[in-house]
Amino acid sequence: MADWHRVAAEAELKPETPLGIRIGDVQVAVVRLADGIFAINDVCTHEFALLSEGFCEDGKLECPLHQACFDIRTGRALSEPAEVDVATYPTKVENGAVFVQV
Amino acid sequence: MRTVIIGAGQAGRRCAEALRELDAAAGILLLGEEAHPPYDRPPLSKAVLLGTDPGNGLFVRAAEFYAERRIDLRLGTRVAAIHPAARAVETAAGERIGWDHLVLATGARARRLRIPGAEDPRVLTLRTLEDAEGLKARLAARPRLAVVGGGLIGLEVAASARQLGCAVSVLEAADRLMARCVPPAIGARYAALHRGHGVDLHLSCALRAIEPTPDGGLLLIGDGARIAADLVVAGIGGVPETALAEAAGIAVQDGILTDAQGRTSIPGIFAAGEVARFPHPFWGGRAMRLEAWQVAQTQPAAVARAILGMDAPPDEVPWHWTDQFGWNLQVLGDPDPSLTLVQRAEGEHRLTAIALDAAGRARGAVLINNGRDATPCRRLIAGGKVLDAAALADAGTPLRSFL
């Protein structure tokens, strides 16, 4: 069952500054972009690394190890060495708090 | 038009893929000597040895990928000769295969030790998946491992073996680790990292001989050190596989000599990946042969473009990485030891070091556990802007603000 989990106060999320969190067994990167707050799986599909520790720009998150790039809105793998997309998760803001559905 | 690619490693695969992306009609035959479909080699010294999941880092493409892209992949096929005048290759099985363009992506083999005792079967190298699986099986018995060579492969093997519980010694002839790719200050950090994990590290220690001992082990006789071991891995670099090219009369000089897009001295024949020695724009057109993932990833695409009569893609800032004991090291550009190294420490184990030339332009960068800075550093290096070393040294100022 996918449940909603509170991950941060909305004010804590700075633009293009990823927040890496663990929800159960799932690592999630939460990022505020100009058009909303998005959540993707935080683990690079190439080799294990947390995307939230990577460079963020133009709606993309870059793996800190090998520079594979992922679209934060869609989870799509945009550049090699990654070939496989990362999962995306719904987000919502309620009463000043950010929730992710995992 | 048919292109035959000899060598189904990363470079051969990338050349085939790029050809298909650019030309739906191209005939593409990819000949591999190994039994496996193309794989990338970086996981061999880490995930494969450790038995951890390499993700898609090893076999980057699914098995059906090649048929789907109409890339005719033939494995277990050794090419015995190239006949440039006839525009054909001849396999070891005696088959003649014609081509319009030929790409040599034959890679390199591991350099072997040339000292007394090096022929002992317990002296190994690491190049192929079989090498890695064989080494992994031997490490399961927790041998005392001696690694010869304190470069990237040697140190990755040392770290993996140590993580598997082996006693590990490393012998390096130079006075520091990774001398060819990082400045001394970074090499010193890695020496401390390895020693902190219990690696018995011997610098300035050239190996002279390996002798069997009465107890069934091995003794490594180095300058100023005698090291007991059960197993030896030599990580002392690669030797380009140029024999086919030489026999065909193609110009070779520690690598197949090519232009910037992989054209060899014989029209219609190209070289791709680490076997190629090509003029590198980052070093002012100096002919370089680089053994790096990035070169095998991008240079073959430039070759594919040349085959199709297209220009080279834009230049890239050279980049390579190594992962040891959970530390990620990335090297961008050329952080030559002669340059001024500006260190931006972010905590004890996180560092970005930028190498500035005499004018204050970034020429290279080294990142320890700080991959977030890779893209800003790449842009600083490519941009050539004059930087203020004192301002740059303040890790509190984001690198983006210097762009």
Side-chain angles (χ1 to χ4, degrees):
Chain A
M1 274 296 284
D3 295 320
W4 287 98
H5 303 267
R6 184 189 185 280
V7 297
E10 193 192 4
E12 287 170 18
L13 271 189
K14 304 277 182 291
E16 296 200 322
T17 305
L19 170 72
I21 44 146
R22 197 184 177 96
I23 302 173
D25 291 335
V26 183
Q27 303 268 9
V28 180
V30 186
V31 191
R32 177 196 289 278
L33 300 176
D35 54 338
I37 293 170
F38 298 86
I40 60 175
N41 194 288
D42 199 12
V43 179
C44 182
T45 56
H46 169 239
E47 280 186 38
F48 183 85
L50 295 180
L51 299 175
S52 57
E53 293 178 3
F55 186 70
C56 181
E57 187 180 75
D58 298 336
K60 292 175 285 196
L61 197 48
E62 188 180 79
C63 175
L65 291 195
H66 309 129
Q67 267 94 73
C69 224
F70 294 88
D71 188 312
I72 294 165
R73 296 181 178 88
T74 65
R76 279 196 57 187
L78 299 173
S79 73
E80 286 158 343
E83 301 289 338
V84 179
D85 300 345
V86 291
T88 60
Y89 307 101
T91 66
K92 66 179 180 183
V93 176
E94 272 180 14
N95 303 322
V98 179
F99 292 81
V100 176
Q101 192 179 34
V102 173
Chain B
M1 296 287 271
R2 177 198 239 180
T3 298
V4 171
I5 303 166
I6 304 175
Q10 184 190 357
R13 167 178 69 80
R14 287 290 301 144
C15 190
E17 289 172 7
L19 274 171
R20 174 57 69 234
E21 281 163 27
L22 296 167
D23 182 1
I28 306 169
L29 175 59
L30 182 55
L31 300 174
E33 200 170 312
E34 292 186 56
H36 310 284
Y39 59 92
D40 283 15
R41 298 186 195 274
L44 298 184
S45 48
K46 301 173 286 272
V48 173
L49 290 186
L50 292 169
T52 54
D53 178 14
N56 77 336
L58 187 62
F59 292 101
V60 175
R61 304 299 185 190
E64 58 272 19
F65 172 90
Y66 301 94
E68 282 170 8
R69 306 290 163 110
R70 290 172 291 115
I71 294 167
D72 186 5
L73 174 63
R74 288 198 217 165
L75 302 172
T77 303
R78 194 170 70 79
V79 172
I82 298 165
H83 303 298
R87 298 218 157 198
V89 296
E90 189 177 325
T91 69
E95 187 187 359
R96 272 175 90 96
I97 302 168
W99 44 264
D100 299 293
H101 298 99
L102 180 68
V103 179
L104 297 169
T106 45
R109 62 181 179 275
R111 186 183 301 278
R112 299 200 62 96
L113 287 166
R114 283 192 184 172
I115 52 162
E119 64 287 348
D120 189 288
R122 292 165 288 180
V123 179
L124 309 178
T125 54
L126 176 55
R127 170 72 191 176
T128 65
L129 185 51
E130 278 74 18
D131 293 341
E133 284 171 345
L135 178 57
K136 181 191 176 193
R138 293 194 188 218
L139 292 178
R142 307 256 179 100
R144 293 167 297 170
L145 175 70
V147 172
V148 183
L152 303 187
I153 300 253
L155 293 177
E156 289 182 354
V157 169
S160 295
R162 195 73 198 97
Q163 286 168 274
L164 291 167
C166 302
V168 177
S169 303
V170 173
L171 292 78
E172 165 57 47
D175 61 357
R176 55 199 177 90
L177 295 178
M178 299 185 281
R180 283 198 303 167
C181 66
V182 296
I186 306 298
R189 275 181 167 251
Y190 272 74
L193 174 70
H194 278 258
R195 286 187 166 127
H197 279 90
V199 172
D200 178 30
L201 185 58
H202 299 265
L203 298 173
S204 305
C205 182
L207 182 61
R208 301 299 172 191
I210 301 172
E211 295 175 355
T213 57
D215 66 356
L218 295 166
L219 187 66
L220 284 75
I221 318 280
D223 287 348
R226 287 171 172 249
I227 295 146
D230 303 304
L231 190 66
V232 178
V233 172
I236 52 172
V239 180
E241 291 280 13
T242 55
L244 275 176
E246 279 174 82
I250 297 165
V252 166
Q253 192 175 34
D254 183 29
I256 300 171
L257 296 174
T258 74
D259 73 1
Q261 272 189 278
R263 296 176 186 89
T264 71
S265 61
I266 296 185
I269 302 183
F270 300 77
E274 66 187 333
V275 76
R277 178 174 291 279
F278 62 93
H280 203 301
F282 189 79
W283 283 277
R286 199 168 109 207
M288 307 285 284
R289 191 178 71 77
L290 301 173
E291 295 174 359
W293 181 93
Q294 183 195 36
V295 174
Q297 188 74 7
T298 60
Q299 188 262 358
V303 172
R305 294 177 65 86
I307 288 170
L308 298 171
M310 301 162 81
D311 292 343
D315 302 334
E316 286 187 329
V317 172
W319 170 63
H320 61 270
W321 80 86
T322 174
D323 296 315
Q324 301 167 27
F325 290 118
W327 279 25
N328 172 252
L329 174 72
Q330 300 188 38
V331 181
L332 292 137
D334 184 11
D336 189 275
S338 67
L339 303 174
T340 302
L341 196 66
V342 177
Q343 301 199 37
R344 295 165 53 89
E346 296 181 37
E348 206 181 339
H349 304 309
R350 191 183 277 265
L351 169 79
T352 293
I354 298 173
L356 302 180
D357 68 12
R361 285 185 291 258
R363 181 71 188 151
V366 181
L367 283 53
I368 297 175
N369 300 321
N370 216 10
R372 196 179 302 218
D373 278 352
T375 287
C377 283
R378 187 179 289 117
R379 289 181 194 161
L380 285 176
I381 294 165
K385 195 168 139 185
V386 173
L387 301 164
D388 180 70
L392 194 61
D394 175 12
T397 311
L399 273 184
R400 287 181 206 228
S401 63
F402 295 96
L403 292 170

